[in-house]
Amino acid sequence: KQWYQRRVAITAGIKGWNKDGIPNVFWISGFFFPQAFITGALQNYARLTSISIDTIGFEYRVVPVTEEIKEKPKTGCYVSGFFVEGARWCSETHVLAESRPKELFTDMPTIQLIPAADREQPSSGIYICPVYKTLTRAGTLSTTGHSTNFVMPLELPSDKPPEHWIKRAVALICALDY
């Protein structure tokens, strides 16, 4: 049943995209190969600014749940559809927080991916969270040296050191069940 509902949602998303144009927020869980979408977002920015793609990275902004997204950003994109495993997102403090009892996964709010050239990674106040397509967290090793299930590292605000979340195996998951 879940597999069928997912396929119906993917089909509806593609029909909407075809009918209404590029969406304001991309449902990343609906992509078969989200890594290509991420690379495409970087390529669009590189072409727009005539900057080498090798020097471009993302800044990340978790969109407050109370903020309504009415239009596409000028650069980058909004993505939704992530689930947090091993922690949760606290909407009040805007940082990762401990999972609640008996809560294995929680919805992650929409995230804005903002391309930036020659970006320096923050040295504190973040957890570099791995993003996986599925719960398996394993896949075939690709030519990039990464698992085909690994999508990208994503910086999430945190008031705890990264080791805290690493011990809890915190990750973002695109799809809980295929």
Side-chain angles (χ1 to χ4, degrees):
K1 183 178 175 179
Q2 289 176 342
W3 180 89
Y4 178 75
Q5 290 172 337
R6 180 173 164 71
R7 292 292 165 240
V8 169
I10 289 170
T11 303
I14 291 170
K15 284 181 180 178
W17 196 340
N18 189 34
K19 180 182 170 207
D20 304 324
I22 297 171
N24 295 342
V25 179
F26 293 94
W27 180 47
I28 199 157
S29 302
F31 294 125
F32 175 75
F33 192 60
Q35 297 91 321
F37 172 78
I38 299 301
T39 301
L42 290 173
Q43 286 175 332
N44 286 342
Y45 183 76
R47 289 183 185 130
L48 180 71
T49 59
S50 299
I51 298 172
S52 171
I53 193 169
D54 297 338
T55 64
I56 300 171
F58 283 120
E59 293 180 3
Y60 306 91
R61 182 178 81 90
V62 179
V63 179
V65 293
T66 56
E67 184 178 317
E68 187 179 347
I69 299 169
K70 297 181 180 181
E71 59 186 31
K72 298 180 251 332
K74 292 191 187 334
T75 60
C77 57
Y78 293 108
V79 291
S80 66
F82 293 118
F83 300 92
V84 185
E85 181 182 24
R88 66 181 174 88
W89 181 255
C90 181
S91 298
E92 289 81 39
T93 59
H94 302 285
V95 294
L96 281 175
E98 297 295 334
S99 294
R100 292 185 180 104
K102 299 181 184 181
E103 200 174 56
L104 297 178
F105 311 101
T106 57
D107 291 337
M108 184 71 190
T110 298
I111 297 174
Q112 184 179 7
L113 306 180
I114 308 162
D118 300 318
R119 181 177 175 275
E120 295 283 329
Q121 188 175 62
S123 59
S124 64
I126 62 161
Y127 167 58
I128 301 171
C129 186
V131 179
Y132 296 98
K133 290 193 310 188
T134 65
L135 287 169
T136 309
R137 296 196 192 194
T140 308
L141 196 62
S142 68
T143 56
T144 62
H146 292 291
S147 163
T148 53
N149 194 32
F150 178 76
V151 177
M152 66 187 289
L154 200 146
E155 298 166 8
L156 294 177
S158 173
D159 58 3
K160 294 182 174 40
E163 297 78 23
H164 179 84
W165 303 115
I166 291 168
K167 287 178 184 175
R168 287 157 177 75
V170 173
L172 292 181
I173 310 295
C174 293
L176 296 180
D177 196 359
Y178 270 108

